[in-house]
Amino acid sequence: MLRIVDVRRALAVRGYPRDLSGRLVIAVTDPLLAHNTGRFAVEVTNGCAGIGKVGDEEPAGLTLGIASLASLYSGHTGVLRLQQTGLLHGEPASITLAARLFHNGYPWMTDRF
């Protein structure tokens, strides 16, 4: 269970593949926290991201709700699965970039404590 309370900060501190650079505009909808709703530009270079909020005039490469972003952020559900289930919409180039940016393997935990 994960709830992102600050999209900008969460995307900035998450790790990304070091060998990948790119820019992705993500449109997020959050019915509870207004500051999480909007378009966020994610610019990744050498595994680090710069995040900025952009206006509606810039087209979003991906569109998704806050719950879907949390699932993608954690690695629990990949971009293609979210797209297949209708929880994420986007243009093919952005979907390909997002799949590479957010893929770290799936989260797991041993069943012994």
Side-chain angles (χ1 to χ4, degrees):
M1 293 168 53
L2 174 69
R3 171 64 155 112
I4 296 177
V5 295
D6 186 343
V7 170
R8 184 180 291 169
R9 178 90 173 119
L11 290 173
V13 300
R14 184 188 192 280
Y16 297 93
R18 291 190 184 277
D19 63 339
L20 184 62
S21 295
R23 185 172 193 274
L24 180 65
V25 177
I26 303 173
V28 180
T29 326
D30 186 340
L32 297 177
L33 301 173
H35 65 273
N36 278 345
T37 296
R39 295 171 192 256
F40 298 88
V42 180
E43 295 194 40
V44 176
T45 305
N46 297 325
C48 297
I51 312 299
K53 203 159 186 183
V54 296
D56 292 340
E57 67 279 353
E58 188 163 358
L62 296 182
T63 303
L64 68 166
I66 193 71
S68 297
L69 179 62
S71 188
L72 178 64
Y73 179 88
S74 70
H76 185 265
T77 308
V79 174
L80 298 178
R81 177 67 51 93
L82 289 169
Q83 182 188 29
Q84 290 169 345
T85 57
L87 298 173
L88 177 145
H89 304 280
E91 56 186 33
S94 294
I95 289 173
T96 300
L97 177 59
R100 294 182 65 207
L101 285 175
F102 289 99
H103 181 71
N104 289 17
Y106 295 100
W108 63 277
M109 183 175 88
T110 61
D111 43 346
R112 294 185 193 180
F113 290 75

